[in-house]
Amino acid sequence: QVQLVESGGGLVQTGGSLRLSCAASGNLVTIGAMGWFRQAPGKERELVAADRRGGNPHYTLESRFTISRGDSAKNILYLQMNNLTVEDTAVYYCAADPADEVSFGAYTWQGQGTQVTVSS
């Protein structure tokens, strides 16, 4: 079993930046692919960025977003978000899966989410 805890969300003005973090714990050797999703009120869940096993990003929704893993601690996943707009306001979720790569499919594990609010 794997547990995921997101942090780093908050309130930021348009044009600002945030870095979200996701700390994984539990049976870490089972973690392969990791990713970030977001869901805004009244909208469907949306894949923001995806990373293959070992830290090899293969998808980002926009070039303003960068997904990465910790250098020494591969159990930490980051999402750097720059030039934020009000449309980025959502709850952001970290996800992980035993597979080497997961794109738009379902991940096995997901965190509780962290709120990102961008004000105009």
Side-chain angles (χ1 to χ4, degrees), residues 2-117:
V2 170
Q3 295 78 40
L4 303 171
V5 178
E6 303 93 339
S7 61
L11 176 65
V12 64
Q13 291 186 330
T14 297
S17 298
L18 279 177
R19 188 175 80 157
L20 305 183
S21 300
C22 171
S25 61
N27 195 0
L28 299 180
V29 295
T30 63
I31 295 177
M34 298 188 78
W36 288 96
F37 288 86
R38 70 183 182 185
Q39 187 162 22
K43 295 186 178 180
E44 294 186 355
R45 192 173 81 154
E46 181 176 43
L47 179 65
V48 175
D51 191 51
R52 297 184 185 95
R53 179 187 298 275
N56 185 11
H58 64 93
Y59 175 82
T60 53
L61 179 65
E62 296 187 33
S63 60
R64 301 183 289 114
F65 302 144
T66 304
I67 186 172
S68 63
R69 303 204 196 194
D71 289 336
S72 58
K74 294 295 184 182
N75 61 310
I76 304 292
L77 184 72
Y78 300 106
L79 180 67
Q80 177 69 41
M81 304 186 294
N82 299 325
N83 196 22
L84 288 163
T85 72
V86 293
E87 287 73 30
D88 296 317
T89 295
V91 178
Y92 285 72
Y93 299 91
C94 173
D97 193 87
D100 290 344
E101 179 177 328
V102 177
S103 295
F104 298 93
Y107 286 75
T108 299
W109 304 292
Q110 179 176 299
Q112 293 299 308
T114 185
Q115 176 70 47
V116 171
T117 303

